[in-house]
Amino acid sequence: MSTDMDAIAKLYDYRKSIDNFDAALIHILAERFRVTKAVGVLKASADLPPSDPNREAEQVARLRELAKTADLDPDFAEKFLEFVIREVIQHHKQAAAK
C-alpha cells in the first residue's frame, strides 16, 4: 500500500517531468517559429502568398497520422496545428508588410 508520503513524492516526480516537457515544448516551438519567420521573409521577398492551403492540408493529414501512431487524439493534434498555422500566417503577413 502506498502512503501519503509516497503519493506526494510520486506527484512531485510527475510534476517535475511535466515541467521538463513544457520547457522542451516551448523551446521547440521557438525554434519552429524562427524557421517559419524565415519562410515568411522568403515568401515576402518572392511575392508569394502568406498562406499555402495545400501545404496546410498536407500538414494536417501528416500530424493526424503521427498523433494516431503516438496514441494522441488526432482532433487535438489538428486543433493544435491550426493554432500554430494561424500564428505563422500572421508572421508571414507581418513580413510581407515590411
Side-chain angles (χ1 to χ4, degrees), residues 13-31:
D13 289 341
Y14 284 147
R15 287 179 173 168
K16 189 173 176 184
S17 290
I18 290 167
D19 291 348
N20 288 337
F21 286 122
D22 287 345
L25 282 169
I26 293 301
H27 287 284
I28 289 169
L29 280 171
E31 284 300 314

Side-chain angles (χ1 to χ4, degrees), residues 54-96:
N54 290 333
R55 167 71 175 160
E56 293 162 24
E58 290 170 1
Q59 286 292 87
V60 166
R62 187 177 71 82
L63 281 192
R64 286 187 68 86
E65 199 55 42
L66 285 171
K68 287 177 194 173
T69 62
D71 199 26
L72 181 68
D73 180 2
D75 292 335
F76 170 78
E78 183 173 348
K79 288 175 193 171
F80 176 75
L81 181 63
E82 287 171 352
F83 173 78
V84 170
I85 288 171
R86 280 194 308 274
E87 186 67 21
V88 167
I89 290 170
Q90 288 296 45
H91 293 170
H92 291 185
K93 287 178 180 178
Q94 290 169 355

